[in-house]
Amino acid sequence: MKLARSLAFARHVPPRQIAARFWLEAKRRWSLRAPPRLEALAYPAPATPQPIFPPRTGMIERLPTGWRFTFVGRSVETGEAIDWQADPDQLWCMNLHYMEYLEELDRDTGVALIRQWIAANPPWRRGYWRDSWNSYALSLRVVVWMQRLTAWGLDLTDPDGRRIVSSLAAQLDFLLRNLELDLGGNHLIKNIKALAWGGAFFAGPFGQKLRDRAIGLLTREIPRQILPDGMHYERSSSYHAQVFADLIETRSALGDPALDPVLARMAQVVTMLTHPDGGPAIFNDAGLTMAYAPSTCLAAFSRVTGRPIPQRDGAFGFRDAGYFGLHAPGFALIADMGRIGPDSLPAHAHGDIGSIELSIGGERLIVDQGVYEYVAGERRQAARSAHHHNCLALLGAEPADFYGAFRCGRRPRVGVSQFVGGDGGMLLQGHHDGYRHLKGKPVVVRRLEANAEGIVLHDRIDASHWHQATSRLLLHPDCRIELHGDLAIVHRGEVSIAIKGSAPLHVEPAMWWPDMGVELATRRLCLTLPPGCFEATLEFAAATPLETGI
């Protein structure tokens, strides 16, 4: 089983990425024996670039005894002298090394923490690539440093300034030698942004070297990573927003409007995958605050490019990404009917084919599962399971063979056979063969119709053998539910909707993970197909006074 999974995963990874991984691992090991000498004599440009986005807050707090850091839903207290490798949670530890919390500190406090990091984290120590000199963490950190130095107005010619500039040069030189070509995706975009910002921050040959490498990688990665419809190919709203923000900053650092058409397409995606409450949809690995807010991203896009912010009205269909939906007066519906992710990088994919999110009256009612953590285990597996998403799932089976924290063996083929959309309604029909390994080779078909009259979800299993299957809807924790056989009345605040099933409905306890490290108890509405039945329907409509008991 393990070998079959590994082969199914590896056959989708391009040879160049496999070669890049082996080369990177070999360089890491060799660097412990013969450390390369890193650039340290570069000089900043006369005018260094200004930050594009507003400072982030809520990650650091001053205590009488030291510091409290809060990342991925967990707070840790430290003394004045920070132990940079103390926490066993690698993601938490990497956040410590991102140093994004510098954005909420004054100059003297921030410089003191930078000096502390430099003194405690020299390169070429065993395991340096896991956190302190991890290329991804480094890419985030150097941009924060360069932006803070500019925002604080630090004299880069005094001893503190020169020491930090020398460390920046060494870290960027290290990045040039250790780009994440083995992973690609949003990690490589972060590398590119760091190089571009370094190219604007540093003068002379070193700055030009950074700039040239950024432009070369950007030219290659944009057509590879940004789909024709504007969505980032990892198909996560949060990672799309992160890449969008990174490319806005890259465009600003390079001063080149060639990126503007790409950014305009990406802006349209951000706009349409935003709910009326201003937060993003959270399909695949995504969270409400895993990236800058959609409005913040769109404001920065408009400011940097001079282009208007797209409007969020009517039906939309991003066929390449597989996202469809309808923004109409009173409600917003967003559906995922696409591939789980790129074959070469399924790290952030979920088994959510056909899943929906629904807002009515500005309130979220039907929510996607979200993601709690990136550690292999029960929660990680549940986050990726079709049985925890708003779609039809066959008992005891999954449409994709997810394993570990980020890997996937067997994957489904997904298709959209029909999409029609306008200002007042939409019709979408898609299918996938993720259960083809089961008896009867079942194919799941979902048809979704939405207009001012209501929403109809119709599922069909095309197979020669019956399998027990359940269609599920995860409710927002603030929802109340009344159950009357095949009819459920769902309330949130002043909003009430009726959901009628083609078979009796039942409710099961559930958890919602709207952000990393955040877990909220809620409930899931379920319709299980009767024996011998291959079809299920869920109809949504405004609840009448009789139905709500008023």
Side-chain angles (χ1 to χ4, degrees):
M1 179 66 173
K2 289 183 179 179
L3 178 60
R5 275 179 161 175
S6 297
L7 290 174
F9 171 76
R11 74 184 183 88
H12 293 288
V13 182
R16 58 180 171 75
Q17 282 185 226
I18 296 175
R21 168 58 60 89
F22 281 115
W23 176 238
L24 189 58
E25 289 296 323
K27 284 197 297 182
R28 286 169 176 169
R29 266 76 183 161
W30 184 251
S31 69
L32 297 176
R33 296 179 177 223
R37 184 173 180 178
L38 298 174
E39 176 65 64
L41 296 177
Y43 300 95
T48 54
Q50 293 286 337
I52 302 300
F53 288 91
R56 287 161 284 199
T57 60
M59 289 181 276
I60 189 170
E61 183 181 354
R62 198 75 165 92
L63 302 175
T65 56
W67 300 100
R68 178 186 289 125
F69 294 99
T70 302
F71 314 122
V72 293
R74 188 163 63 87
S75 297
V76 174
E77 294 183 11
T78 73
E80 291 289 345
I82 299 165
D83 185 344
W84 299 89
Q85 277 77 38
D87 200 279
D89 182 339
Q90 188 186 10
L91 182 58
W92 196 96
C93 195
M94 284 179 65
N95 272 268
L96 183 65
H97 288 279
Y98 296 165
M99 299 191 78
E100 293 172 325
Y101 44 83
L102 294 177
E103 295 179 2
E104 52 185 310
L105 298 178
D106 61 73
R107 183 184 65 184
D108 292 344
T109 307
V111 168
L113 284 183
I114 292 175
R115 290 174 61 189
Q116 187 179 149
W117 187 94
I118 293 171
N121 294 282
W124 320 126
R125 298 189 309 177
R126 186 168 298 278
Y128 66 84
W129 54 84
R130 300 186 191 283
D131 41 54
S132 58
W133 287 74
N134 174 282
S135 294
Y136 182 80
L138 184 154
S139 295
L140 273 71
R141 180 174 60 248
V142 295
V143 172
V144 171
W145 285 17
M146 288 184 280
Q147 292 180 349
R148 289 300 94 198
L149 295 180
T150 301
W152 290 332
L154 188 70
D155 183 355
L156 301 182
T157 64
D158 72 11
D160 268 339
R162 288 199 304 271
R163 188 179 299 112
I164 296 171
V165 167
S166 293
S167 179
L168 279 170
Q171 292 181 63
L172 285 163
D173 191 21
F174 175 91
L175 182 61
L176 279 171
R177 303 163 190 249
N178 294 273
L179 293 163
E180 294 177 276
L181 301 171
D182 58 323
L183 289 176
N186 70 87
H187 280 234
L188 190 52
I189 297 296
K190 280 282 193 294
N191 299 169
I192 292 170
K193 180 180 77 170
L195 297 177
W197 209 268
F201 185 87
F202 284 100
F206 183 64
Q208 190 62 47
K209 182 180 180 181
L210 297 171
R211 178 185 174 88
D212 290 345
R213 189 70 169 118
I215 292 172
L217 287 169
L218 203 59
T219 301
R220 189 187 76 177
E221 291 301 315
I222 288 296
R224 178 178 294 165
Q225 294 200 35
I226 308 304
L227 300 172
D229 58 20
M231 184 80 190
H232 183 247
Y233 76 152
E234 292 185 70
R235 295 170 173 82
S236 153
S237 57
S238 290
Y239 285 100
H240 174 84
Q242 286 188 26
V243 170
F244 181 47
D246 289 339
L247 292 179
I248 290 170
E249 291 188 291
T250 300
R251 191 269 194 224
S252 178
L254 295 176
D256 185 354
L259 271 176
D260 290 2
V262 174
L263 293 173
R265 297 201 308 273
M266 296 183 77
Q268 186 69 42
V269 172
V270 170
T271 298
M272 303 313 283
L273 295 187
T274 298
H275 280 268
D277 63 7
I282 57 172
F283 296 109
N284 291 316
D285 279 347
L288 297 180
T289 64
M290 280 174 62
Y292 288 112
S295 60
T296 302
C297 291
L298 293 168
F301 156 76
S302 183
R303 188 168 61 253
V304 169
T305 66
R307 298 194 176 205
I309 296 173
Q311 297 299 304
R312 190 169 66 243
D313 291 306
F316 67 90
F318 301 122
R319 284 184 172 270
D320 302 295
Y323 284 112
F324 302 84
L326 175 65
H327 291 278
F331 77 97
L333 174 69
I334 303 174
D336 180 355
M337 194 68 79
R339 296 173 59 194
I340 62 172
D343 282 335
S344 62
L345 189 60
H348 298 296
H350 289 192
D352 58 359
I353 306 160
S355 190
I356 67 165
E357 289 189 330
L358 176 65
S359 286
I360 296 181
E363 304 279 10
R364 296 188 192 225
L365 271 72
I366 309 299
V367 294
D368 192 73
Q369 180 64 67
V371 59
Y372 182 83
E373 61 189 359
Y374 281 168
V375 177
E378 186 177 339
R379 281 191 178 103
R380 180 62 177 153
Q381 201 66 16
R384 306 179 86 190
S385 168
H387 295 267
H388 286 75
H389 287 90
N390 304 320
C391 55
L392 185 78
L394 274 57
L395 182 68
E398 292 289 345
D401 182 24
F402 296 115
Y403 67 100
F406 297 110
R407 295 198 168 185
C408 181
R410 170 184 49 79
R411 305 97 195 269
R413 290 172 293 194
V414 185
V416 172
S417 57
Q418 188 177 15
F419 173 68
V420 179
D423 290 340
M426 63 169 281
L427 186 155
L428 170 67
Q429 180 166 304
H431 57 273
H432 73 84
D433 66 354
Y435 299 107
R436 65 185 181 277
H437 58 291
L438 302 179
K439 186 176 180 180
K441 300 184 183 300
V443 171
V444 175
V445 181
R446 167 159 280 193
R447 183 180 178 88
L448 170 60
E449 297 181 62
N451 54 45
E453 303 301 315
I455 300 167
V456 178
L457 274 178
H458 180 78
D459 292 314
R460 185 179 79 243
I461 304 172
D462 291 339
S464 59
H465 179 82
W466 181 80
H467 293 271
Q468 184 174 329
T470 300
S471 183
R472 297 175 172 86
L473 297 171
L474 184 64
L475 303 177
H476 189 278
D478 290 343
C479 287
R480 295 176 291 110
I481 186 168
E482 303 172 29
L483 200 57
H484 310 283
D486 63 355
L487 178 68
I489 310 299
V490 179
H491 311 272
R492 185 179 177 196
E494 300 299 315
V495 173
S496 296
I497 61 167
I499 303 176
K500 184 175 179 58
S502 57
L505 303 172
H506 62 279
V507 173
E508 60 185 28
M511 291 292 176
W512 184 40
W513 300 315
D515 263 316
M516 281 282 193
V518 179
E519 184 171 70
L520 302 174
T522 185
R523 288 174 291 178
R524 187 176 274 114
L525 185 64
C526 308
L527 186 161
T528 298
L529 275 64
C533 180
F534 290 79
E535 299 188 44
T537 302
L538 291 165
E539 300 180 43
F540 301 68
T544 65
L546 177 63
E547 289 168 335
T548 58
I550 297 174

